[in-house]
């Protein structure tokens, strides 16, 4: 559920970041470029750091700041649970497809 489809999930997230930037007034190309740079920069930092992603998140989140406000919405909307639910659906479908291929 995570490895083979992983890029699609990240592409979707970049799409959503860019679309949100547009809705907030950025030009389309600017918003897309910023979204890609955000994801690329975070991935590079996570790959190069000895700290786990949660610690890196805490390090860049200012108390009472903009990032904390956004993360609070993610928590209130139970985004982590929704991501888990989506990955569970992908995993179930992968098992179904495997069973179907095994019957052929």
């Amino acid at each position: 559920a995570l490895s083979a489809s992983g890029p699609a999930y990240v592409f979707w997230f970049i799409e959503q970041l860019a679309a949100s930037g547009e809705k907030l007034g950025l030009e389309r190309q600017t918003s897309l470029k910023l979204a890609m740079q955000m994801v690329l920069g975070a991935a590079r930092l996570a790959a190069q750091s000895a700290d786990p992603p949660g610690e890196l998140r805490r390090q860049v989140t200012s108390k009472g700041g903009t990032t904390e406000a956004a993360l609070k919405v993610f928590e209130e909307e139970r985004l982590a649970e929704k991501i888990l639910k989506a990955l569970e659906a992908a995993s179930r479908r992968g098992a179904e497809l495997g069973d179907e291929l095994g019957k052929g």
Side-chain angles (χ1 to χ4, degrees):
L2 203 53
S3 60
S5 300
Y9 307 145
V10 176
F11 295 152
W12 179 87
F13 186 68
I14 293 170
E15 277 182 278
Q16 302 316 306
L17 287 172
S20 295
E22 279 186 80
K23 288 177 185 172
L24 294 171
L26 293 175
E27 290 187 18
R28 184 170 200 238
Q29 284 304 100
T30 300
S31 187
L32 182 57
K33 185 174 182 177
L34 287 171
M36 287 187 288
Q37 289 300 317
M38 181 190 311
V39 172
L40 181 60
R44 280 187 179 145
L45 181 58
Q48 295 170 356
S49 179
D51 292 327
E55 178 56 29
L56 294 173
R57 177 182 43 79
R58 283 186 282 281
Q59 290 173 13
V60 300
T61 304
S62 300
K63 196 82 167 151
T66 57
T67 303
E68 185 178 67
L71 292 171
K72 184 176 180 184
V73 171
F74 288 166
E75 189 175 311
E76 290 168 355
E77 295 294 324
R78 299 179 176 213
L79 184 57
E81 291 176 28
K82 291 175 182 178
I83 291 170
L84 175 59
K85 200 171 179 180
L87 293 178
E88 288 172 340
S91 180
R92 279 192 308 276
R93 183 61 183 144
E96 290 169 4
L97 290 171
D99 288 346
E100 289 172 16
L101 290 174
K103 292 177 183 175

